[in-house]
Amino acid sequence: MRHTALLAILALAVVFAVTGPVAAQPAHYFDCKQCHTSGVSLLALGSTNVCLQCHSPTGNPVTLTDGTEGVLPTSHFVTNHASDAMGSATAAGMSPPPSLQSSHYWASIEDDVPAAGAQAPSRTLYYSRYGISSNKVTCGRCHEPHVDALTNPQLLRLDNTADALCLGCHVAWNKTANHGLETHPLVADYPTFQAANSDRYKPIVNAANGDIRLVGASVSCTSCHGTHWTDSNSATVDDTTQLSAGDGKLLRTDGRSVNPNTLCQTCHIYEQHGNVTHIGCLDCHSGHSYNDGIPNYYVLRDQVDLPFVPKLGGPGTVTGLLYTSADVNG
């Protein structure tokens, strides 16, 4: 996920590009009937999704209100970009499941998903004017199609400074100083925190290539996660053209299947456990450990699938791991 340039958070870009120089216009600067028409829906995952009518590689060109013709969006999505990390696409009947999984799922009929730390947001700004996104996850949950893109190019419903937009839904994971119970803690002032714990944490989050970064001075959701075009692979550039098949976790750097040490050791100084070719940080830990409603401290998994167990001479699985009390000095 090395970035050649810093990508915008929640980069569902809706600024339209045309051939030749034209004056900048607000997004969705076209006839209302382009979106408000029969046969399309915000709730669809595939080709009948109203946003994908334009925001797909085969999207429909539109004519702007000023008469400019043949305008296409610069951001593209296909159904296979949708994450299935929570099984949403599978539950929706998509078979086989999405193969790319590099975008936040955009067509869920349920927004109360404890395993994702997600629940219905309390603020009405997350809901469309007619409540279409109520209790659901749609493009319109985060994006407001009618605002002026000249001042709000991602058309976000809320300024996402310090990941405020993300935490409106993922409020269950908005925790600090929790010793990793269920979720990695958020850190409001990482430089100060690190200076006080320099024996365990590195002095700066690796922002050089955009993999893991501070959100302001804090460690928050988008320090580790992207929202679109994020494939959990540090060897690729997170944009619309150079992605590999992702795991749906939307990590800015390596996921467990690529390198289980990269993510954690960006900030943590802990020695690696055992032979690095056999076991890594993410084999035992996760960023979030809901664990079927019985969370562990230190974001430990309740089941560890080891790639190699010397006594067994091969892979092995350990289940039923419970770490439900914490040594606060650990």
Side-chain angles (χ1 to χ4, degrees):
M1 294 191 181
R2 295 191 296 271
H3 291 33
T4 55
L6 181 64
L7 294 178
I9 299 170
L10 291 173
L12 180 59
V14 287
V15 179
F16 288 83
V18 298
T19 302
V22 295
Q25 301 287 2
H28 301 165
Y29 186 61
F30 44 70
D31 195 304
C32 301
K33 294 179 181 179
Q34 184 71 33
C35 297
H36 294 273
T37 186
S38 62
V40 297
S41 170
L42 264 178
L43 308 181
L45 176 61
S47 61
T48 57
N49 182 281
V50 62
C51 300
L52 266 63
Q53 300 306 298
C54 293
H55 289 277
S56 73
T58 57
N60 301 319
V62 299
T63 299
L64 300 184
T65 303
D66 66 2
T68 305
E69 298 180 346
V71 181
L72 285 169
T74 57
S75 59
H76 297 149
F77 298 90
V78 296
T79 304
N80 275 333
H81 287 160
S83 170
D84 195 34
M86 295 293 107
S88 298
T90 302
M94 187 173 176
S95 181
S99 58
L100 300 177
Q101 297 198 57
S102 59
S103 181
H104 192 291
Y105 192 75
W106 62 77
S108 177
I109 61 173
E110 177 59 63
D111 61 3
D112 187 2
V113 185
Q119 63 190 59
S122 60
R123 299 182 64 178
T124 57
L125 65 85
Y126 289 86
Y127 303 107
S128 57
R129 182 173 301 176
Y130 301 105
I132 296 173
S133 295
S134 296
N135 304 119
K136 300 175 179 65
V137 179
T138 67
C139 301
R141 170 54 65 86
C142 298
H143 302 278
E144 166 54 77
H146 302 110
V147 300
D148 188 348
L150 300 181
T151 58
N152 183 358
Q154 286 88 48
L155 307 186
L156 298 180
R157 291 187 177 274
L158 175 69
D159 181 357
N160 202 41
T161 300
D163 292 345
L165 184 63
C166 307
L167 293 172
C169 291
H170 294 280
V171 64
W173 287 348
N174 186 4
K175 296 180 179 179
T176 61
N178 62 333
H179 303 291
L181 179 62
E182 184 179 353
T183 184
H184 191 290
L186 304 185
V187 181
D189 184 350
Y190 181 79
T192 299
F193 172 80
Q194 184 279 329
N197 301 275
S198 59
D199 59 325
R200 291 188 288 171
Y201 301 96
K202 296 178 182 178
I204 187 169
V205 174
N206 180 15
N209 60 10
D211 286 356
I212 303 294
R213 62 187 181 83
L214 294 178
V215 180
S218 67
V219 174
S220 192
C221 307
T222 54
S223 295
C224 297
H225 298 281
T227 307
H228 302 294
W229 310 306
T230 313
D231 62 1
S232 303
N233 191 332
S234 65
T236 62
V237 177
D238 287 348
D239 63 15
T240 59
T241 63
Q242 301 185 47
L243 298 176
S244 63
D247 59 7
K249 305 296 179 62
L250 310 183
L251 293 173
R252 293 182 178 276
T253 188
D254 294 331
R256 182 183 179 191
S257 64
V258 178
N259 186 327
N261 291 303
T262 307
L263 179 66
C264 302
Q265 299 225 357
T266 299
C267 298
H268 293 269
I269 300 179
Y270 297 119
E271 292 292 330
Q272 294 174 160
H273 180 68
N275 189 324
V276 68
T277 62
H278 295 162
I279 188 170
C281 304
L282 288 179
D283 288 318
C284 297
H285 301 270
S286 181
H288 312 286
S289 59
Y290 176 70
N291 292 344
D292 297 320
I294 307 177
N296 283 330
Y297 280 92
Y298 311 119
V299 286
L300 283 163
R301 303 178 187 274
D302 62 353
Q303 174 176 311
V304 177
D305 299 305
L306 299 174
F308 183 83
V309 179
K311 289 185 178 181
L312 300 179
T317 298
V318 180
T319 62
L321 301 176
L322 297 177
Y323 294 89
T324 54
S325 62
D327 172 7
V328 297
N329 295 314

